[in-house]
Amino acid sequence: MAEETNHNEAGEVAPSTVEQQAPSIAEEHAPSTDSSVTTDIPSANAPDPNAVSSEQNPNAVGDKAEEKAAKKPAAAKKEKAPAVEDKPFAEFIPQDYFEALTAALAKQGVQDLELNLEKQKIPVIGYATQPECWQVIGSWGNGKRQFRVYFLTENIQGQKGFSYSENGGKPSTLEPFLIDERKVSLDLLVFGVVQRLNAQKWLVRN
């Protein structure tokens, strides 16, 4: 079927009804410049759709706190206090050894113990020519019973000896003292004397 063509009085081809309506329809459906247009381009001021507020996600605040805690430097470790055995010899013996030894022997019935730290010759036969050394001299019962712990060097870890005497006499022998111990402690120094005096049957429990 042939398409009809309208002619006006001047012989010009008149626009069809569709063509006449086309501009008005286009204008009617064209987007207004006054209204906002949704596009796929993200706006700088628009909220991130993937973001979840702290109200919607209560764990968000806790996570941030944990992150801050993780960033904080770890607290410095407290330095371990030095052992009493690490004190200078001249401080350790009168301050710590005397107190511990007095307490230990008191439990064994020795109530009038006297302790002194002196540097002198070893009063044992055969040691007259040896140099002086530090000695812990303990006595009780008005001096009737006496013992000595010899420190041949000014160090409790060094070579040590032991002797005993009765009624003011000189000791006849010098015994090795705690020679099997790799590291001597305050407790070992006390135990060694108590053990030796106990073997001598000088303590009450014997």
Side-chain angles (χ1 to χ4, degrees), residues 64-91:
K64 290 181 180 180
E66 290 179 1
E67 289 178 4
K68 290 182 180 180
K71 291 180 181 179
K72 291 182 179 180
K77 293 183 178 179
K78 293 182 179 180
E79 294 184 1
K80 187 177 181 180
V84 293
E85 292 85 355
D86 295 332
K87 287 183 177 181
F89 180 84
E91 293 180 13

Side-chain angles (χ1 to χ4, degrees), residues 102-180:
T102 299
L105 291 179
K107 292 180 180 179
Q108 302 295 325
V110 180
Q111 301 298 329
D112 58 342
L113 178 67
E114 293 184 7
L115 292 170
N116 293 288
L117 177 64
E118 299 181 13
K119 190 173 185 179
Q120 55 182 247
K121 291 279 191 178
I122 299 175
V124 177
I125 297 173
Y127 288 86
T129 59
Q130 296 298 315
E132 294 182 343
C133 69
W134 286 104
Q135 304 172 30
V136 172
I137 305 172
S139 62
W140 72 94
N142 295 322
K144 292 181 178 179
R145 289 180 172 174
Q146 184 185 87
F147 67 88
R148 297 183 183 228
V149 179
Y150 303 90
F151 296 89
L152 302 185
T153 61
E154 196 171 330
N155 186 344
I156 64 172
Q157 306 299 337
Q159 190 175 2
K160 294 172 286 295
F162 181 88
S163 70
Y164 67 93
S165 60
E166 290 186 87
N167 299 319
K170 288 188 176 183
S172 57
T173 58
L174 178 64
E175 307 169 11
F177 186 68
L178 299 178
I179 60 173
D180 296 329

Side-chain angles (χ1 to χ4, degrees), residues 174-192:
L174 178 64
E175 307 169 11
F177 186 68
L178 299 178
I179 60 173
D180 296 329
E181 304 298 334
R182 291 185 178 182
K183 187 173 182 179
V184 173
S185 65
L186 173 61
D187 290 341
L188 279 174
L189 285 171
V190 172
F191 173 76

